[in-house]
Amino acid sequence: MRELDPLRTAVVGVHWQHEVVSPDGVFGPSFAEQVSRHRVASYAARVATAVRASGGLVVYTRVAHRPGYPALIPNAPSFAMIQERQAFLEGTPRTRIIDELAPEAGDVVITHVRLTGFFGSELDTVLRRRNVDTVLFTGVATNLSVTGTLFEAVNLGYRPVVVSDACTAATDEAHRVSLETFGLFGEVVTTAEVVDRLSG
């Protein structure tokens, strides 16, 4: 892994919210078992702790909709299901970040309504205001929102780094293939490597 400048590094935790990663969330049947089995949230928490301790920025992206879903365009089956199931409603418990990764003072929570974290949000502005040039990614799902947000980061000029054991997908195979693709665009590292670089 290349060197990290902690003051110009952020970790973006993608969709660590109950609707996505808890068994009772609308997408829990797809992802909760994988998150639990691979202890992915604990690795993501270690990354966040190391970034905070070194002076970097911790960011979480989450989906939340206003009542009536005025910003929801149901152009994909998963978006249609959100409205049908009345999921991701702002202010409800399942839109919150899970306790294991609860935001702390100084962390930033970005709310958006589409698949990826940069689209239609202030994420790019927040990162540039802090002079961030390197973005570490954790979250769910590796092959969906993590991939999409990472590709946006590439287009915006950031150095993307995926923390492989702090992400997961609905299947191990989907996760593995996504990591192989990431290798063409950025670095794929482990939690231990990130912690080592930031603490060193």
Side-chain angles (χ1 to χ4, degrees):
M1 182 182 183
R2 289 163 47 198
E3 294 301 316
L4 289 176
D5 177 352
L7 298 182
R8 303 198 68 184
T9 297
V11 56
V12 173
V14 176
H15 295 172
W16 285 117
Q17 54 191 132
H18 290 283
E19 286 282 30
V20 178
V21 302
S22 294
D24 63 346
V26 68
F27 293 118
S30 296
F31 305 119
E33 190 274 334
Q34 289 284 96
V35 169
S36 175
R37 182 159 58 90
H38 294 298
R39 301 191 303 112
V40 183
S42 65
Y43 288 114
R46 285 182 61 201
V47 173
T49 297
V51 170
R52 281 190 206 99
S54 66
L57 178 65
V58 175
V59 180
Y60 294 100
T61 65
R62 64 190 276 273
V63 173
H65 287 274
R66 298 193 302 278
Y69 297 91
L72 178 63
I73 301 171
N75 61 318
S78 59
F79 292 144
M81 184 174 72
I82 286 171
Q83 187 161 7
E84 290 165 7
R85 299 274 297 274
Q86 293 290 290
F88 293 101
L89 268 176
E90 184 65 272
T92 58
R94 289 200 298 265
T95 60
R96 293 200 308 258
I97 305 299
I98 61 174
D99 291 345
E100 193 166 1
L101 284 153
E104 298 184 8
D107 295 353
V108 177
V109 178
I110 301 288
T111 300
H112 63 98
V113 297
R114 301 302 288 174
L115 181 66
T116 56
F118 284 99
F119 185 84
S121 83
E122 70 271 34
L123 178 56
D124 185 47
T125 302
V126 167
L127 297 178
R128 292 193 190 282
R129 186 174 182 273
R130 283 284 297 263
N131 295 313
V132 167
D133 61 13
T134 300
V135 182
L136 313 174
F137 286 93
T138 72
V140 179
T142 318
N143 61 325
L144 297 169
S145 295
V146 175
T147 292
T149 306
L150 178 140
F151 287 166
E152 288 176 322
V154 171
N155 285 338
L156 290 165
Y158 294 99
R159 169 193 172 194
V161 180
V162 179
V163 188
S164 60
D165 50 1
C167 300
T168 195
T171 67
D172 291 344
E173 179 66 8
H175 176 67
R176 183 189 64 78
V177 171
S178 295
L179 295 180
E180 289 179 357
T181 303
F182 290 154
L184 302 174
F185 296 94
E187 296 164 81
V188 178
V189 302
T190 65
T191 295
E193 289 174 305
V194 170
V195 172
D196 180 64
R197 279 289 186 270
L198 290 174
S199 62

